[in-house]
Amino acid sequence: MSNRKNSKDKEIIRNDLPTLYVDGITASHREDGINYVSLTTNTPDYTVEQVRLMIDDEHLQIMIDILCKIIDYFPEKPSKKRKRPSK
């Protein structure tokens, strides 16, 4: 029997990947719980897409929770929109 850890317990750090600066995000949600996220960088001439990913609701929520904790930002859930009174 092997004493090796389960491969899910290991994290592989890829030092050959560049670190990208992003200053924009576009996101959309599908009915099946999958989300499209695109991270972009603005340059003087145009906007460059740096990262594009598809991620399910559960993992996106984990990612957002981590990011909120890092910057100590905890947004409040918006209240339901009220219907405008008819004139």
Side-chain angles (χ1 to χ4, degrees):
M1 185 185 292
S2 173
N3 288 333
R4 293 172 52 182
K5 288 184 176 181
N6 183 333
S7 64
K8 289 185 178 183
D9 295 335
K10 295 181 182 181
E11 184 174 339
I12 298 173
I13 304 296
R14 299 244 341 251
N15 292 320
D16 60 322
L17 293 175
T19 299
L20 302 171
Y21 176 82
V22 297
D23 53 13
I25 184 171
T26 302
S28 62
H29 177 77
R30 294 188 339 189
E31 295 280 328
D32 63 356
I34 301 296
N35 302 280
Y36 165 84
V37 179
S38 173
L39 303 175
T40 58
T41 300
N42 295 327
T43 67
D45 296 325
Y46 42 80
T47 299
V48 180
E49 184 179 44
Q50 298 287 6
V51 177
R52 181 186 309 161
L53 58 103
M54 300 293 284
I55 185 169
D56 62 72
D57 287 345
E58 179 184 354
H59 288 96
L60 182 57
Q61 184 174 355
I62 293 167
M63 182 186 298
I64 292 169
D65 287 343
I66 291 168
L67 294 172
C68 287
K69 287 176 187 174
I70 287 172
I71 63 169
D72 196 27
Y73 175 72
F74 303 95
E76 294 181 21
K77 187 174 183 176
S79 60
K80 292 183 180 180
K81 291 184 180 181
R82 290 190 238 166
K83 292 184 179 179
R84 292 183 181 178
S86 57
K87 292 184 178 182

